[in-house]
Amino acid sequence: MSHDTAAIRQALYDNYRAPEGAARNARAERLLAEAEGTGDTPLLIEALSHLLQAYNYSSERDKLFVPFARLLRLWDERPGEFDEQSAHSLHWYFKWVSTDMLDQPHIPLASMEKWLGEMEQRYRLAGYSERAVRQGEFCLARHIGDEKRAERAYTAWLAADRDRMADCHACELHDQGAWQARVGNDEQALELWRPVLDGEYTCAHEPHAVLAASLLPLLRLGRAEEARAHHLRGYRMVRPLESMRGWVALHVEFCALTGNEARALEILSDRPAYFTDSGDPDSLMRHLAATAVLMDRLVALGHGEQGVPGPAGTSWTARTLAAHAREQALAIAARFDERNGTDAVGSRVRERLGRRPLLERLPLGIRAVRPASAAPVKAAASAKAPESRGVDELLAEARLLSEARHPDAIRAWEAVAGAAGDAELDDRALAEIDDHRAMAPANEPAESVRLFRSAAERYEAAGDPGSAVAALARGAFALALGGDPDAAVAAVAEPVARALALHAEGAASTRQAAGALLCRVRIHLLRLHDEHEHENENENGDGDGGGDGGGGGGAKIRAVEEAVSELLDLAGPHQADPHVADRVAEAMSVRGDLAAHGGDAAAAAELYGAAAGLFHEAGLPWYAAEPEARLVAVARHLGDLEGAERAARAALEHGGTHLEAPGSTRLHLQLTEILVGSGRFDEAVEHALEAAHWADEAGEGTGIGAYARHQLGGSLLRAGRAAEAAAVLEAVLPDLTVDGHGEGMVVETLWWLGDALTALGEPRAAAEHWLGAADIARGWPEQHDHAMLANLAGQALYRAGLNTEADRVYERACTLWRDLGDVHAVVRALRVRAWIAVREGQAGPDAARDFMAAAERECEEALTEATEPAARARLRAELADTHRQTGELLVDDPREALPHVERAIAGFAEAGDDFTDLRTAAELAAAWLEADLGDTPAAMRRAEAVLATYANAPGDTAESRRAEARSVQEYVT
């Protein structure tokens, strides 16, 4: 072999391992030209085969027909130049060419039928089964919509013998499941796909494609959690592969149909070239159809003018891209249908374009930047004419909800206001409208103050002074919410005084007077919270001046206590009245706040529990959610994790849809932490997902939302769901900063991600993350985490075959372990460095012996200092294992290896019975060495000794040792 030929073959091998795409294709084209110049026909065959593979796994699949024609001509002219492997590959490529023809609408249907016939003839001549041919016929019939022929071919395909030319099991099962899904058998499809999804059968593009194909069938069957998992796992697999545009489109569509439009937009933006790569019209059509589905959803949600990623050279909105993508997808479908003489492709595209959401919301755990705020079209229409009901009917419903103190009352009054128009309403109705409009969460505080005052004037006009003073008190609280609690204290004084006077005269109810007093409590509590926040922000603040009445912390606490006491003095005797009980309950909850503020967690827990109980007795469970939520933190502080869990679940149940997004976030996150602490990781996943979703809804996706996703990734990992964990942790990393989230969270996230990637067989990437975490931990006072992370990174680099890098990192780990006094870790790191040394291109056997000798010295020195029997036993076992591994290192020279293994056996025996399994492993290693040296009696004695040790022992290790001992006996006899 010439130097040029060898270099080209090596370059072909290197290029085969390069990422899919135009760069790899261009390199394959250049290598083909170089191969042609050598005059070496086998090399030319290899180069053509490589170019075929490069084109097939790229966006330029339309180019593979020319190199295949050249390869086929070479076969017909010079079959002797093909070895067994290249002959097999040539016939294998027939399948690629026949299916790729389907995806090119310019190739006539007659040509495809002719090609299928030629494939059948050549397979027959080569002695191959017709299985692959019938599968090709099935694909053609399915494509053109000939269902009867497709069913016949499908049956013939499954009936034919599997041979070397059949597709791999994973690809066959994919196509079989896809057909079952096409004809409406989702359950059967998923059952066929199960071995692929479970990893029993895999290949270069499976389970990537099956994961994508399974998304909508799972949703249709109500298995949303599995669909979410398949999206997280599957998109991570297809994202780097240029050739999987059609499968990426399924992920876009899945997100569009589950309320994850923002995530779908991010996926679209990952590969702008998907809009313009024209080498595979079929996958372009699918990509455009999925894009149109997504854009239609955005338009329906009121985001039609939102800027979106689309074909380069034009600025796109959701509305304009929806029209463009739909038009282009249908145009490509029309070309297929014209070629096929049917309407099958167009019908499938139109069916896809007409799909509607299968779920309104499916949290994915991945943060996506939400589209700019817009009023959904449907919501806006309903607000103008709520179900076309009259004002009187809406007014009656709003008053009923207000009487029940239901959270939906505010929305009901909004409907009244929207429907009122020019209707003649009395002063009381107008007062109620203003009163409830003032309570709308979206209001600016100043607007709420104005509306409350307007309501008070109208209540006065309606002859209801009690409601008027209550409205004025609410206006004062709105003033406090606007950032001026001191002014609010002054503003609330007059309505409180008047409410108490009216109550004494019988002109105001206990509820109304208690409501005014409650507003004063809330204002004072707000002042106290402001003081507390100020103290946290400014450690050099003035603190409590000691009761000077001028606003110090102690004075503000007393002001809250006095306001609560006055409220309870008035309302307490009437707490059996459901209309007053909620006032008493809130006052008790405030006392719980004061107890918690003062460090009396037990009293706080009791008060929060009592407040929640009163709300429930009054028939107001939605208000019980607040003290129940507060109870979670104090119960955890007291170590009552069961009580904390009950409180969190109760708060979520009772708050229901009425909880605001930040409250839902905190509750789900607290429950996540409790569940993680008790090892219930699968359930923790569900609550972490909800926490992340509600954090995004609250606009806190990069703050507490990042922490929720951090917890989600860790819970997924510990639940054994490494693929999902990796997707979540990779996505949250850009949101985590040392300044914003702390070094600990960043390091833990990187650590978990390394664990997840290791489980997925991606050691190089795992090492990168562990090294990143180690660099942060390098500056910590306690260096154990730094050492552990360096050790893990070394292991990963070793598994990835990056020997020089692995040795360097293990050297770092050795130093760290030595400084920490962990001799076992030092010895193990030295032994790995020995194994690295004997790898190709490394230091060699002499260096390996030196490392093993250094490990021995570490053990021996530690033994001279150790006094505790158990510690000495572990060190003897460590030394023995070093001798054993030295023997393995020298296995090519049994005479040199055997003494090391014998020392290992003696060492394990001296260490004690706890190390019997290690001793017998060394005995069997010695037996094999003796067998190689021709010392049959010695080998037999060792095998018999192992059999005697495990004569009646149960378990896998015992069975394994017995089996190996018998193998030794068979070998020497």
Side-chain angles (χ1 to χ4, degrees), residues 15-29:
N15 200 47
Y16 176 78
R17 300 172 67 187
E20 296 178 358
R24 183 170 78 157
N25 292 357
R27 177 71 170 149
E29 291 165 355

Side-chain angles (χ1 to χ4, degrees), residues 513-533:
L517 290 169
L518 182 57
C519 287
R520 185 173 65 177
V521 170
R522 291 170 176 170
I523 291 167
H524 283 299
L525 190 63
L526 191 60
R527 289 176 76 224
L528 180 60
H529 287 165
D530 286 350
E531 174 79 14
H532 184 58
E533 289 175 8

Side-chain angles (χ1 to χ4, degrees), residues 73-311:
R73 186 162 61 251
L74 278 170
W75 169 259
D76 289 338
E77 294 172 357
R78 287 179 277 178
E81 300 284 1
F82 287 73
D83 60 17
E84 182 180 356
Q85 178 59 44
S86 57
H88 176 271
S89 296
L90 170 74
H91 287 84
W92 187 270
Y93 299 148
F94 264 95
K95 300 187 297 180
W96 290 0
V97 172
S98 64
T99 53
D100 284 356
M101 282 182 175
L102 297 177
D103 300 335
Q104 305 294 330
H106 67 279
I107 298 179
L109 186 62
S111 296
M112 292 190 294
E113 293 281 11
K114 180 180 178 182
W115 185 260
L116 192 63
E118 182 170 350
M119 176 181 170
E120 182 172 12
Q121 179 183 3
R122 287 181 181 268
Y123 273 33
R124 188 180 300 115
L125 288 172
Y128 292 124
S129 161
E130 68 171 359
R131 188 178 182 92
V133 178
R134 298 285 75 83
Q135 183 179 359
E137 182 186 7
F138 161 75
C139 291
L140 188 152
R142 179 183 61 182
H143 171 75
I144 65 176
D146 188 342
E147 294 197 3
K148 290 184 179 179
R149 182 183 181 188
E151 286 287 3
R152 289 195 304 272
Y154 183 85
T155 301
W157 163 27
L158 299 190
D161 292 336
R162 279 190 59 84
D163 63 0
R164 293 180 64 214
M165 206 47 58
D167 272 359
C168 74
H169 283 289
C171 289
E172 283 205 336
L173 290 171
H174 175 195
D175 269 359
Q176 292 165 21
W179 177 245
Q180 294 302 325
R182 168 84 67 85
V183 298
N185 297 329
D186 287 338
E187 288 276 14
Q188 180 63 23
L190 288 163
E191 183 59 27
L192 284 164
W193 288 332
R194 183 190 54 75
V196 183
L197 295 170
D198 290 349
E200 183 179 345
Y201 300 123
T202 62
C203 68
H205 282 178
E206 294 295 355
H208 315 44
V210 164
L211 285 164
S214 70
L215 295 172
L216 295 192
L218 284 168
L219 288 178
R220 289 193 291 262
L221 292 171
R223 293 158 63 176
E225 291 76 13
E226 291 175 71
R228 174 177 57 226
H230 287 196
H231 167 67
L232 292 175
R233 177 184 168 200
Y235 181 64
R236 187 175 176 275
M237 298 177 83
V238 300
R239 181 178 181 180
L241 302 178
E242 181 186 273
S243 62
M244 301 208 75
R245 174 169 58 184
W247 312 113
V248 171
L250 291 176
H251 286 278
V252 171
E253 185 177 23
F254 163 79
C255 291
L257 300 179
T258 57
N260 289 289
E261 297 83 9
R263 167 72 166 163
L265 284 172
E266 287 192 349
I267 294 174
L268 276 189
S269 69
D270 278 346
R271 282 191 178 269
Y274 273 175
F275 283 104
T276 52
D277 288 342
S278 57
D280 182 359
D282 179 74
S283 71
L284 175 59
M285 175 182 71
R286 288 188 277 161
H287 175 71
L288 290 165
T291 299
V293 171
L294 170 61
M295 296 305 136
D296 285 346
R297 285 296 304 143
L298 290 172
V299 171
L301 292 169
H303 300 292
E305 307 314 311
Q306 169 75 27
V308 293

